[in-house]
Amino acid sequence: MTSDLRAIAVGRLVPVKRFDFLIQAWNNIPIHISIVGDGPERLRLETLVANLGLQDRVSFLGERSDVQDLFTDHQLLVATSESEGFGYVFLEALQEKLVVISTATGIAADLIPHDYLIDPLSVERVSLKVEKTLREFERAKQDFESVWARARDLTVKKMVTETLTTYQDTLSLKSKFEKT
């Protein structure tokens, strides 16, 4: 296991994000994780970290506007949310070539290789997925090569351009039908 790796988790500190599961799982994980975000669960989660004696491996960075910059100092994103929509954090992490372990929710289920999905969610499953990924991190990077390439193609600019093109094509068709 490579101890120089660093993990990151990003999200609002609310119950649905299950940061409590992540922290409990970290009891068995020997690397550091930075938790980025703020919310009503912060004090409870900080207390959990203290009660488990994980202050040397788990840190809270609060709400940040430089998350993408933070990704450059980390190699692994872990997401334990029970529910997620599109989740730009996944896309941004993949564009920075982070390996991602996530619950099978939202876009993660479509983008992340099956071996890196936590399903169903439990503290034990989070711990086992992270431990296995750390043991086989070179393999994980190989598994994510195609995912990283796909993520580079899924930029906001590209999505806006494609949406605009769709609208333009629709308007063009509409004007053709109106002329006939």
Side-chain angles (χ1 to χ4, degrees):
M1 202 174 294
T2 311
S3 61
D4 59 336
L5 295 175
R6 291 177 48 88
I8 190 168
V10 180
R12 186 155 158 68
L13 304 183
V14 293
V16 72
K17 299 294 186 177
R18 298 316 307 239
F19 283 104
D20 55 336
F21 278 24
L22 175 72
I23 291 165
Q24 291 172 61
W26 228 255
N27 218 13
N28 300 317
I29 309 297
I31 69 168
H32 186 271
I33 187 163
S34 302
I35 298 176
V36 180
D38 212 344
E41 291 278 294
R42 182 162 181 167
L43 181 59
R44 187 177 79 79
L45 295 171
E46 288 174 332
T47 301
L48 179 59
V49 167
N51 289 344
L52 293 173
L54 297 174
Q55 302 93 320
D56 61 328
R57 285 183 278 144
V58 178
S59 61
F60 291 87
L61 304 184
E63 189 173 329
R64 302 281 294 257
S65 61
D66 62 342
V67 174
Q68 228 168 345
D69 293 335
L70 292 173
F71 286 152
T72 61
D73 295 329
H74 297 83
Q75 298 76 36
L76 176 66
L77 173 79
V78 183
T80 52
S81 183
E82 290 177 334
S83 174
E84 197 68 57
F86 181 81
Y88 283 107
V89 70
F90 297 112
L91 187 56
E92 292 170 344
L94 292 170
Q95 288 173 343
E96 293 296 327
K97 294 191 172 186
L98 271 69
V99 169
V100 176
I101 296 173
S102 175
T103 50
T105 60
I107 193 173
D110 295 328
L111 282 179
I112 309 304
H114 181 75
D115 286 349
Y116 302 90
L117 293 174
I118 305 161
D119 190 23
L121 176 62
S122 71
V123 171
E124 181 181 10
R125 286 182 187 273
V126 173
S127 183
L128 291 172
K129 284 285 183 195
V130 173
E131 288 173 334
K132 181 175 190 253
T133 301
L134 292 176
R135 271 194 317 274
E136 302 172 2
F137 202 74
E138 289 306 312
R139 176 180 173 245
K141 290 192 306 188
Q142 291 173 357
D143 291 346
F144 273 83
E145 282 294 332
S146 63
V147 178
W148 294 333
R150 184 172 175 213
R152 282 190 299 275
D153 289 340
L154 294 175
T155 63
V156 172
K157 182 178 180 182
K158 182 178 180 186
M159 286 186 270
V160 168
T161 301
E162 288 178 0
T163 301
L164 179 60
T165 300
T166 300
Y167 282 126
Q168 289 170 335
D169 292 348
T170 302
L171 289 172
S172 175
L173 284 173
K174 180 183 177 211
S175 69
K176 284 181 185 178
F177 284 115
E178 288 174 347
K179 289 179 183 175
T180 58

